Amino acid sequence: MANLQDVAQRAKVSKTTVSRYLNGSLELPKRTAEAIDTAIRELDYVPNAHARRLSLGRSETIALMVPDISTPFFSTFVASVEAEADRRNLSLSLHATLNRREREISYLDHIRQGRADGLIFITNHAGDAALADKINTAGPCVVVDEDVPAARVPKLFCDNEAGGYAAGRHLAEIGHRHFLFIGGVDEMISGARRHAGFLRGVHEVAGEAARVERACGPYTFEAGRSAARAFVARGDTRPTAIFATSDELLIGLYEVLRDSGLSVPRDVSIVGFDDVGPLHLFAPAVTAVRQPVRELGKRALELLLDHKPEEDGTLPQEELLPVTLIERDSVAPPIRSA
Amino acid sequence: MANLQDVAQRAKVSKTTVSRYLNGSLELPKRTAEAIDTAIRELDYVPNAHARRLSLGRSETIALMVPDISTPFFSTFVASVEAEADRRNLSLSLHATLNRREREISYLDHIRQGRADGLIFITNHAGDAALADKINTAGPCVVVDEDVPAARVPKLFCDNEAGGYAAGRHLAEIGHRHFLFIGGVDEMISGARRHAGFLRGVHEVAGEAARVERACGPYTFEAGRSAARAFVARGDTRPTAIFATSDELLIGLYEVLRDSGLSVPRDVSIVGFDDVGPLHLFAPAVTAVRQPVRELGKRALELLLDHKPEEDGTLPQEELLPVTLIERDSVAPPIRSA
DNA sequence: CCGGTTTACTGAACCGGTTTACCGACCGAA
DNA sequence: TTCGGTCGGTAAACCGGTTCAGTAAACCGG
């Protein structure tokens, strides 16, 4: 393959000239410019990205770390980051961590190796100090969706508290007084904030009469199924409304409920969270708090690229994107008084 | 940041020694090895990936081009490729083409720039000669899921014909004689083969009595909706069974049917294709031909890495992965005789 | 004590760009 | 005639690894 030198030789100029001409740091008279253009065409010259990157010290690539790519939430997120990256002529290097710490840490080293100029980081487990430390020293990074508390980098979340609040109010206003909140452990802000918001919404409407139970767990199908099985097994002491705080939890929940003979929303009302999958086609269509996933992706990249490292000693900002409650058919007034 | 030279100096050896030691091309006595290890630790040395790549002439990265990342089918595919790439210590560079030729072509140039050592290419429109030419000259590449006819590279598809056949037989065996096939234009092998298989399956069971109509179009929600609207508008001359040949088509179809008052499977039986989304939770649960998406991703990378460029002049192989018909609740015998 | 082998390393070229610092020719003005 | 400035470039260092082709010293058998 032809390189700069070959082009220069053929155009009877120096490497420097060709390089500067191509980067626009040198105006050339028409004759010379044409000679170079011709040489490039004839040799089918394509610049070598590695040489360029080594020389420039950057990779024109940003890395994206997510727990799993195949879930609708993350894949939509990835798609929106990719679109924004492409708009800026950046490559996107994608890594699935499967929520495992050692993978997260090893990928963080990739950044230091120069494989990426910046990182958008999503984890789904409560971060620890070692992880935060890696993040703080890895280079440009933004943390999205779930907090890593000790990380001193820009952060971007959806408004989890407001989402929980909307779900809580909605269910309480329609008459429910006994609730099951599924998902999230308190170390994770999405769980803690959705829960706090839910409590606030419920109590604001229903006062102290309301009872909110909680089934903690990760945002997985299996956690949804297992919470649902426990729910079904309780018989008449069951809450009348469930807030399933992720699409996966909701799907697991739906699977078990559908097999259990319980009917939604007659026997139990349900509100979901995320609303990225085709929840409107489920039986019945699911009322859910919708996360602005595409905006999340776009904004994450903006934050990453526009953020200037702490000018003073202040902490980088934490930004919240608004959520929306989408009403469908999975919520109705309670029949039983539980 | 420390580089190889710094490490060498500190360990009182040469760059060469450190480099070869790290790459395992040199055995060292314990004392020297320890000196180097210590120097690396003390300087917090991390090798520079760009320098390494330039020197080695490869990028330890493979590129993946898909039309869209956010659909369940592609995101699952991406996830499986990523997993396999990670297992082999390769980075994955992700690109969404949005099915646009100029994007496909421009990304293909990335390969020649050395940004990736190989490419897994998926397109969703009938490829043309210019595209095939780019593919043939871009470097290591495999074409997956949909054909680019003139490309002389390994190809990997699911067994579309067998999938169509299974769907056709299944619907015919249960009593249907009048069908609507939705999706795919004939220039695309997935469409052509699914259609051919469907016809074969139907006619094998129902003989010449069977009528198969076809609504061509891309694999999109909107095409599904529009085919469904046309279907609903026909009133009593409607076919009694529909084969919707992608998850997106199926979802569009379901949306319109659900609003139209037609009931599945009483008024119309439906078989889908892909079966990646949570089709088992739809109302009613969808009978569908399942593609082995994860195997597709894993195998694609294997083909890419293990394929040696045409040893003789023969065309690289085309490989087919088997599909499965998953029976659920969207198929029943026809009521009306249409 | 000599020649050959092994051990333990090393110098310098090379990958292919970018960039700094500088140079020679020509032109217009003083 | 000489000085300064613009035009049109260029030589060479640099980015940070890998690797070919050796070499110096120790060792060892005869």
Side-chain angles (χ1 to χ4, degrees), chain A residues 74-102:
Chain A
F74 290 127
S75 68
T76 306
F77 181 79
V78 171
S80 62
V81 172
E82 196 277 342
E84 183 68 12
D86 183 78
R87 221 178 51 71
R88 301 180 183 237
N89 277 314
L90 296 168
S91 288
L92 184 73
S93 157
L94 182 64
H95 304 275
T97 61
L98 310 178
N99 250 336
R100 301 218 312 258
R101 245 184 102 261
E102 75 278 11

Side-chain angles (χ1 to χ4, degrees), chain A residues 54-78:
Chain A
L54 173 59
S55 193
L56 254 28
R58 45 186 155 82
S59 44
E60 286 151 327
T61 296
I62 70 121
L64 181 51
M65 275 170 60
V66 295
D68 180 8
I69 310 161
S70 59
T71 71
F73 180 81
F74 290 127
S75 68
T76 306
F77 181 79
V78 171

Side-chain angles (χ1 to χ4, degrees), chain A residues 239-251:
Chain A
T240 61
I242 300 180
F243 182 28
T245 58
S246 88
D247 277 351
E248 285 72 39
L249 288 171
L250 179 104
I251 289 175

Side-chain angles (χ1 to χ4, degrees), chain A residues 182-232:
Chain A
I182 305 182
V185 288
D186 256 343
E187 290 78 53
M188 290 162 48
I189 61 147
S190 68
R193 293 187 183 172
R194 285 171 203 181
H195 190 242
F198 190 71
L199 290 180
R200 186 165 69 87
V202 162
H203 289 305
E204 203 170 289
V205 173
E208 294 312 308
R211 271 172 62 206
V212 176
E213 304 183 23
R214 181 167 183 184
C216 287
Y219 296 125
T220 61
F221 298 110
E222 193 40 44
R225 282 186 213 112
S226 110
R229 278 189 292 262
F231 173 82
V232 169

Side-chain angles (χ1 to χ4, degrees), chain A residues 50 86 107 112 114 255 280, chain B residues 46 50 86 107 112 114 255 280:
Chain A
H50 299 315
D86 183 78
Y107 290 140
R112 295 219 314 153
E255 284 178 9
H280 62 298
Chain B
V46 179
H50 298 316
D86 184 79
Y107 289 140
R112 296 219 313 153
E255 283 178 10
H280 61 298

Side-chain angles (χ1 to χ4, degrees), chain B residues 2 13 66 79 125 128 137 141 149 158 169 184 219 258 283 300 305 318:
Chain B
V13 291
V66 294
H125 61 75
D128 56 31
T137 56
C141 175
C158 79
R169 267 201 85 95
Y219 295 125
R258 124 173 316 220
L305 297 177
E318 170 182 317

